[in-house]
Structures are given as structure tokens and as C-alpha cells.
Amino acid sequence: MSLKKFGPNDVIVNTMRAHPSCEFFVYDSNIYYNNTPELPGANTTNVLGVPTGYANLYEYNIDRAYTNTDRIIGGQAGTTGDPGVIPSYTTLYNIDYPLGGTTGPNAHRYVLDTGRIYPFVIKDSSNQTFKVMNDEEFKNLPYGAIISGSTGSAYEIKYDTTIAPALPTFRGGGVGNARLYQYPMSASITREFMTGAAGAGSTGAGERHTCHKIRPDGTVVSGTAFKCTPYHRHFWSLKNRLDFYGTLSEHYRVSSSYGDKNLQKVNLISIPSIFFGDGIVPGTVSLKWYYSGSLAGELQDTKRNGELIEVSGATANRNSVAGVVLYDEGFVVLTGSWDLNGETLIMEPGTSADNPKWIYYGAGANDGISQTNTEEKFSSASFGLSFKGASDTQVVTMFAHARRGEANFSNNPTYLQYSQSQIQLTSSQVYEENPNRLIANTVSSSFTDYSSSFKRQVYISRVGIYDENKNLLGIATLSNPVLKEEDQDFSFKIRLDI
């Protein structure tokens, strides 16, 4: 097989940018993503394995129920006992002595089978483990231990061989926070309503806790009160970034002629990057506040500079700036506190009824607020959020040429006439193929039972891509083989997203 080298103009690398639309709708503490309802599966209430409004990263565990199978990976179910509580498992694998033998205890590590795909790490000399596992726990594990996210902790199974058959005893250990890295991994928008310590009637988002100096005996030193850790760390972590974008608009700045966000109530909407990719496209953001199904107000970034301007609602507040959007980071910061209409409802637990305002926008979006801790009228409010993301994909385009007089042989056995001798001569010292083998005539004829004159032609079905060391990198397969005659030129366009 001959290899053809790509020419200087045969390989092109470019960037393809897409702007996928993204839309969220929040109603009665439920979030809906791109108008997708709950899709029931055969084994789960939602086939994607995550609530509505969430994205399932990697889409693992599709329609897989989280169940107690009474099995250990590598073992079989026992016949008595409660799984994971008292010994109810026996094993037929990875034991270096017969089941029920008395050669001494032998520790093995397995993980519980919950019927779902799970991440795991095997302890070896690389000392790799999960981020949430502390060093002391990891140090105490023997090499070869399976550290898994299939349950709330890893299990050590130690077999007592003083009884027959040998039964395992369980020691819960490993990772107490294993559920943090279970599959599916998911994400959705989140709302944070930021005020001071006392709720909606307190000071603003920048308030900090009051601390005191403490004597060795634990008593407080009087007169040493000072401000320490903030109530809202997410707001404080964004303060520098807000001031950085102050060159685009003064409304970004934490403190400006438009007000001091440290003293204001701030409504923060967080959008995970899985939904917008490399950034939110300026000019595509829209926030809608609905009351009883009617539009109470809408914000848009019409100036493309991050300002969220009211474009629909009460005439008095038309063109007012209610907040800003951080395009690259995926945050919406709302401070607009004017009334959108004359209706009243409770939007924050422990407060009295208030008029719809932009600082209440998105209530119920993973913030713990629902009818249960507000009022039944809470379901009158609903919210829409839409924007376009930016996704850059590097694309390699390759042109593979089959010139006339080239690519005129096939390794397919049907390329040669059937029932010919393959070997001319063979012995302990010589192996010679038959040099007189004939190529099958595949030229189509217009007449029945009549063969047209022979022409050298092949059908090209695949194109292999190799590196400079002749290692096969990939194969491009055509949907239908292409007929190439010897006097024809062909060029195959191959595109690869990287």
C-alpha cells in the first residue's frame, strides 16, 4: 500500500463559531431548559437522570435507576442479612484461598453495585485520588483499594476465615463526600438574593459579620469588635470583576453615581458555562418577569455593553437600567428595586408582601424559595431568561487526492478473479506468489451475459490518515464506495473537529 503525502495547501485549520440559543423558564420553583418537559423513562421518572432545567454532563446513567442490588462489584449476592449493614455477601473472585479455607484473613476491597455508572480510582504508586478525600484517609488505604463514588463511602471488606464459609465484615471508610462526584454530574441556573444579616429589611449585599478578639479562656475582649467575613462571598468575589468592567458602563462599578452595591439588595443569577460555552453573545440577553401569565416587564442588553435596560413595563421606568450582565463569566447582577406593577405577593420567606421588582426576579431557581415558605400566590410569578452562547470549534480540513494512474489496486479479495492459485512456489526456503493472477473485470456491460472490455478500475470506500511515523490516526469511511477509473482524478474532502 502506497502512502501519499499531503501537499502544502491540502491541510487547512480554521475556527468555526456557533451561537446556540439557550432559554430558561422558572415557574413555581421548577426550571425548564429550552422548553423541554420531564421525560419519563422505563426505570426513572426522568430519562436523563436529572431534574428538568438541568444539563447532564456526559449524559451518563441515562434511564438508570439508583437501586440496592445487594451485590458487590466482583461478588455475588448473599442470602441473609441487610446489605451493607451486617455481612450478607460472599465472594467467588480474587481470593487466593478456597472459599471457606482457613489460611488466614485476607483483605479485599470492592464497591457496592447500585446499578449506575460510577467514577473510581484504584490506589497505586501514582497516589491519585478524589479531591474530597483527605490525605489521612488516603494514607490508611492499602494499595489496590478501590475508591469509588458509587456510595456515600468506600468500603473495606475483610474476610473472617475462622468460619466456613468465610464471611466478610464491612468497615465504612474512604470518601465521606463521595456523592459530590457521583454521576450524573449536572448543572442549572442558580439565584442568590443578597441582603445583610436580617433578611430583606437589612442592609445590603456587602455586609460583613462582626467579630471580636477572644482571650485564651474563651471570653470576648470588650471594645474589639471589627468587621470580618462577608455574608455573601460570591458578591465579594465579583467586586473586582465588576469594577474591571466599569470602563464599559458606570452601572458595573460597585460604587458609582448610580449607587453603592454594598448597601443595595443584590439579586445574582449564576449561569454555568456548560450553557454558554466561551461566553454570552452581547445583545442577545433577555429577562422577562411574568405575573399571572402577563408580561410585567422585560430587560434587554440593547446597547451591547452589559447594561440591562427595561424595554417593556411601566412607562415611568422605561429605559431604566436594572442591572448588568457579565458576558464572559455568566453572571447577571440585578439591583432594580422599582415596582413593575401594583400587585403584591410574598417573594422572600419571612417577609411581608411586596410588589414585583427586578431584585425578586428568578425566585424559586434553586434558591430554596417555594410556596411552602412563602404563600400560595407565589405561583403567580414566573420568569424567562434567554441568551445566545458562543462555541468555538477548531476544524481541520484535509484534501486527499487520488490522481489518474494512482490508487488503482485493491486489497479486497474480490479484486482478483476467483479460484486462482495464490502460490507459485513454496518450500522451506522459498515463498513465491503466482505472478499470473488475473484481475476481475468489473466493467459494466449493456448486454446480458456479455463482458465489456477490461478496464483497470477500483471502488474507493475508505481513506486512512497517518502521521509522519506511519501510525494510523483515523479512517474516513464513505457512505457509498466511489468508482474510480484509471484515467480519472479524485479529491476527497475530510473534515475533523478537534
Side-chain angles (χ1 to χ4, degrees):
M1 178 184 63
S2 61
L3 299 180
K4 307 297 180 182
K5 188 174 182 179
F6 286 109
N9 299 320
D10 291 338
V11 179
I12 303 172
V13 180
N14 55 22
T15 301
M16 180 180 65
R17 166 159 286 194
H19 297 301
S21 298
C22 187
E23 182 178 350
F24 290 94
F25 188 76
V26 182
Y27 170 70
D28 198 16
S29 303
N30 294 308
I31 304 175
Y32 300 92
Y33 172 55
N34 282 350
N35 296 318
T36 303
E38 187 173 78
L39 303 174
N43 302 307
T44 58
T45 55
N46 195 334
V47 69
L48 295 178
V50 294
T52 57
Y54 280 75
N56 182 345
L57 184 63
Y58 309 128
E59 294 195 347
Y60 290 159
N61 289 320
I62 298 298
D63 199 21
R64 287 175 178 258
Y66 189 94
T67 59
N68 185 355
T69 63
D70 196 29
R71 293 195 303 267
I72 300 174
I73 304 300
Q76 69 176 19
T79 56
T80 60
D82 297 325
V85 179
I86 63 174
S88 64
Y89 303 91
T90 59
T91 183
L92 300 176
Y93 307 97
N94 302 323
I95 297 179
D96 57 4
Y97 55 87
L99 187 64
T102 57
T103 59
N106 188 6
H108 300 275
R109 284 186 172 269
Y110 297 96
V111 294
L112 297 183
D113 180 3
T114 61
R116 286 192 169 189
I117 302 170
Y118 57 88
F120 69 92
V121 176
I122 299 177
K123 181 176 178 179
D124 56 20
S125 58
S126 66
N127 289 330
Q128 292 183 343
T129 186
F130 290 105
K131 183 178 180 180
V132 295
M133 188 175 196
N134 63 56
D135 294 338
E136 189 64 26
E137 282 183 312
F138 182 74
K139 184 178 69 175
N140 293 330
L141 295 177
Y143 286 98
I146 300 176
I147 307 168
S148 166
S150 65
T151 60
S153 62
Y155 285 88
E156 178 181 359
I157 304 168
K158 190 171 184 179
Y159 286 85
D160 183 1
T161 57
T162 61
I163 57 177
L167 293 178
T169 56
F170 292 83
R171 184 179 70 84
V175 188
N177 295 323
R179 293 188 183 278
L180 295 178
Y181 48 79
Q182 284 189 17
Y183 296 136
M185 301 172 67
S186 60
S188 185
I189 59 172
T190 304
R191 173 185 181 258
E192 294 178 74
F193 184 58
M194 300 179 176
T195 63
S202 70
T203 55
E207 185 178 352
R208 295 185 294 173
H209 292 276
T210 300
C211 300
H212 300 81
K213 291 184 178 180
I214 306 297
R215 298 187 179 93
D217 61 359
T219 58
V220 176
V221 180
S222 61
T224 61
F226 62 95
K227 293 294 184 179
C228 51
T229 56
Y231 280 98
H232 304 290
R233 291 177 296 174
H234 289 173
F235 170 74
W236 280 74
S237 65
L238 288 175
K239 289 174 71 172
N240 286 342
R241 207 61 185 164
L242 288 169
D243 285 334
F244 173 80
Y245 289 119
T247 54
L248 297 178
S249 170
E250 283 293 313
H251 289 278
Y252 274 105
R253 297 191 185 278
V254 175
S255 180
S256 69
S257 58
Y258 296 105
D260 188 347
K261 293 181 177 60
N262 287 304
L263 306 178
Q264 294 174 324
K265 298 178 178 64
V266 173
N267 185 9
L268 179 66
I269 308 296
S270 303
I271 307 171
S273 60
I274 189 175
F275 295 106
F276 61 81
D278 298 321
I280 297 174
V281 179
T284 65
V285 180
S286 172
L287 285 73
K288 295 180 179 180
W289 220 113
Y290 295 95
Y291 184 84
S292 295
S294 299
L295 183 64
E298 181 181 2
L299 301 178
Q300 292 183 1
D301 59 333
T302 54
K303 294 183 178 180
R304 299 173 180 260
N305 65 345
E307 295 178 358
L308 292 172
I309 301 172
E310 185 165 312
V311 297
S312 175
T315 305
N317 299 311
R318 197 74 56 86
N319 297 323
S320 298
V321 177
V324 292
V325 54
L326 281 68
Y327 295 113
D328 293 338
E329 294 80 6
F331 292 101
V332 176
V333 181
L334 298 174
T335 54
S337 57
W338 58 82
D339 298 342
L340 297 180
N341 59 30
E343 304 292 340
T344 59
L345 69 167
I346 298 176
M347 299 299 295
E348 292 294 324
T351 64
S352 57
D354 198 357
N355 301 105
K357 296 177 171 64
W358 287 112
I359 56 174
Y360 300 138
Y361 174 86
N366 293 317
D367 57 359
I369 300 177
S370 64
Q371 290 189 44
T372 304
N373 51 23
T374 55
E375 63 175 340
E376 184 177 351
K377 200 177 178 181
F378 177 79
S379 61
S380 299
S382 57
F383 315 91
L385 170 63
S386 62
F387 56 87
K388 288 185 178 181
S391 176
D392 291 347
T393 304
Q394 304 302 315
V395 180
V396 176
T397 303
M398 297 167 282
F399 293 93
H401 305 289
R403 305 297 186 187
R404 65 181 62 187
E406 298 178 349
N408 53 15
F409 180 79
S410 174
N411 291 321
N412 193 314
T414 61
Y415 182 68
L416 301 176
Q417 288 187 7
Y418 182 69
S419 72
Q420 296 184 87
S421 175
Q422 302 290 325
I423 302 173
Q424 175 77 6
L425 177 64
T426 180
S427 68
S428 59
Q429 298 178 341
V430 177
Y431 177 85
E432 181 180 347
E433 292 185 346
N434 180 10
N436 299 317
R437 287 177 296 172
L438 300 177
I439 299 174
N441 186 9
T442 58
V443 179
S444 176
S445 172
S446 302
F447 303 98
T448 305
D449 296 330
Y450 176 79
S451 297
S452 296
S453 300
F454 175 81
K455 285 185 179 180
R456 199 179 184 95
Q457 62 182 23
V458 294
Y459 286 88
I460 300 176
S461 59
R462 294 182 296 178
V463 179
I465 308 299
Y466 294 81
D467 64 9
E468 58 185 3
N469 297 316
K470 298 183 180 180
N471 296 313
L472 182 62
L473 301 179
I475 298 176
T477 302
L478 281 67
S479 57
N480 292 299
V482 175
L483 173 64
K484 180 187 180 301
E485 297 180 355
E486 194 168 21
D487 58 351
Q488 290 179 320
D489 284 333
F490 275 79
S491 292
F492 297 92
K493 182 180 179 181
I494 305 168
R495 196 182 74 173
L496 176 65
D497 295 343
I498 57 176

